[in-house]
Amino acid sequence: MNQDSEQQQKLEQMRREYTRGGLRRTDLAGDPLAQFRHWFDEAVEAGLGDPTAMVLATVAESGQPSQRIVLLKRLEELGFVFYTNRASRKGGELAHSHLASLLFPWHPLDRQVKVAGRVEVLGQADAEAYFASRPRESQLAALASQQSEVIESRDALMAEFNELNERYADQPIPLPPHWGGYRVVPTEVEFWQGGAHRLHDSFRYRLTDAGEWHIERLAP
């Protein structure tokens, strides 16, 4: 058996049962954000690493999807808030489509939460307030990095970081003009709980034209 065949066999044999418990309609809150808060609190209590980490999916004008991990920084009545470089690839794709999807992969709990919705750009005052709360090194990194652009080397990036550190040694670091916040306002939220024999439990909240949440059980 060659190396490729051995690797393929290992991949095919990687599986486990999901036995942490089921999910029933009676377990669910009437509002998806209330249900998310409940599951998020349980993820924190369980000691999950990076429970705020979420996969952000966007789509380019060409139709090519792309994904990356960002951090949830605020959960509001209207949706999920994160901050990033608006001149980055994801910023450009969000400006094009104004739509996005989020995925919270809480594997130790055999849970996933998937969010789909429209994206709103937050205002300057909001960006300034959050940027000011970040550690100084994170502020410098946001100013030094032209996110998603090709760079010469890590040394060049660190040289820019160090130069900015010296320039603003005794003064506040300004908000980069290309940096700010987004809010994903959900139109669909899906809660997935792993089940034995691949018979998982999955419920989707779908926002109707009347502005009400309709809950549906989905086949695994």
Side-chain angles (χ1 to χ4, degrees), residues 29 45 57 89 91 100 111 132 143:
E45 292 170 4
R89 175 176 178 173
R111 287 177 175 175
L143 196 60

Side-chain angles (χ1 to χ4, degrees), residues 135-145 154-168 173:
R136 177 180 173 82
E137 291 77 11
S138 296
Q139 293 177 340
L140 286 168
L143 196 60
S145 174
R154 182 171 182 82
D155 288 342
L157 177 63
M158 292 307 301
E160 177 68 12
F161 179 91
N162 293 330
E163 191 277 328
L164 290 168
N165 191 26
E166 293 180 7
R167 185 191 310 176
Y168 296 105
I173 299 167

Side-chain angles (χ1 to χ4, degrees), residues 65-161:
S66 62
Q67 299 171 305
R68 75 289 291 160
I69 292 176
V70 298
L71 300 179
L72 176 68
K73 287 302 177 182
R74 197 162 67 244
L75 181 63
E76 302 177 335
E77 182 179 350
L78 293 177
F80 302 77
V81 172
F82 67 96
Y83 296 84
T84 191
N85 185 320
R86 290 179 181 161
S88 65
R89 175 176 178 173
K90 57 183 171 295
E93 292 175 352
L94 289 172
H96 162 66
S97 71
H98 305 290
L99 297 172
S101 179
L102 305 172
L103 175 69
F104 293 85
W106 294 331
H107 299 306
L109 298 178
D110 293 346
R111 287 177 175 175
Q112 299 179 55
V113 181
K114 184 173 67 174
V115 179
R118 70 181 190 278
V119 178
E120 299 176 345
V121 178
L122 301 182
Q124 178 79 4
D126 180 275
E128 289 176 348
Y130 176 70
F131 189 78
S133 75
R134 303 183 85 201
R136 177 180 173 82
E137 291 77 11
S138 296
Q139 293 177 340
L140 286 168
L143 196 60
S145 174
Q146 302 301 312
Q147 196 175 89
S148 303
E149 297 295 324
V150 176
I151 60 174
E152 178 184 349
S153 66
R154 182 171 182 82
D155 288 342
L157 177 63
M158 292 307 301
E160 177 68 12
F161 179 91

Side-chain angles (χ1 to χ4, degrees), residues 30-81:
D31 178 272
L33 294 183
Q35 182 63 33
F36 180 86
R37 288 187 180 93
H38 175 64
W39 269 23
F40 180 79
D41 288 343
E42 291 187 341
V44 173
E45 292 170 4
L48 267 63
D50 294 328
T52 63
M54 55 188 187
V55 180
L56 168 67
T58 56
V59 179
E61 291 187 53
S62 65
Q64 174 63 54
S66 62
Q67 299 171 305
R68 75 289 291 160
I69 292 176
V70 298
L71 300 179
L72 176 68
K73 287 302 177 182
R74 197 162 67 244
L75 181 63
E76 302 177 335
E77 182 179 350
L78 293 177
F80 302 77
V81 172

